[in-house]
Amino acid sequence: MSETKLPRPTDGELAILRVLWARGDSTVREVHAALTRDEPEGTGYTTVLKLMQIMTEKGLVERDESQRAHVYRARATEQRTQRQLVTDLVDRAFGGSPARLAMQALSSKKTRPEELAELRRLLDTLEGGEE
């Protein structure tokens, strides 16, 4: 997979990508079942099918048509997608400043002590010049 920038997924597309990242390669029926597990009245099967067809056209997922039930897989890893979304957010909303994003994020919601410890380790690593 090339490192070209993929289109930014919509909220619905991101929900489908989360299923694919958690389950791995999946059919539309499997994705629909996962999406409606907690909300049986949620998104309809045909809506999920249409979204996945659009996602294929956009290059967010790949479709294996070798079997009767087409199997879909995410084109980018969860980490790569998150990094791309965060980079876009930092550029658009925070003037390119990751520090402003981090300060806003940390001040808007309570952070667990173990998360703060992980952030401190990351900051220590970054200050040391490693990455």
Side-chain angles (χ1 to χ4, degrees), residues 7-77:
R8 185 177 345 137
T10 65
D11 290 346
E13 292 168 346
L14 203 48
I16 290 170
L17 287 171
R18 280 191 203 101
V19 171
L20 292 174
W21 291 324
R23 286 186 46 82
D25 298 359
S26 302
T27 65
V28 174
R29 188 161 310 284
E30 291 166 336
V31 171
H32 177 258
L35 289 172
T36 57
R37 186 168 294 123
D38 297 327
E39 288 184 55
E41 300 297 321
T43 308
Y45 175 84
T46 55
T47 301
V48 174
L49 171 62
K50 185 63 178 172
L51 270 173
M52 292 180 78
Q53 290 170 339
I54 291 168
M55 291 171 73
T56 302
E57 291 170 15
K58 289 170 75 173
L60 292 170
V61 298
E62 296 174 335
R63 177 176 53 215
D64 177 358
E65 300 176 5
S66 64
Q67 300 174 34
R68 186 170 185 270
H70 297 172
V71 176
Y72 292 79
R73 81 177 45 85
R75 281 200 56 218
T77 64

Side-chain angles (χ1 to χ4, degrees), residues 94-121:
F94 297 95
S97 171
R100 286 177 51 200
L101 168 67
M103 288 184 285
Q104 185 65 36
L106 291 170
S107 66
S108 66
K109 212 171 184 186
K110 182 147 177 62
T111 307
R112 295 189 330 259
E114 53 273 9
E115 291 174 318
L116 288 173
E118 190 174 338
L119 286 168
R120 282 187 188 96
R121 283 191 296 277

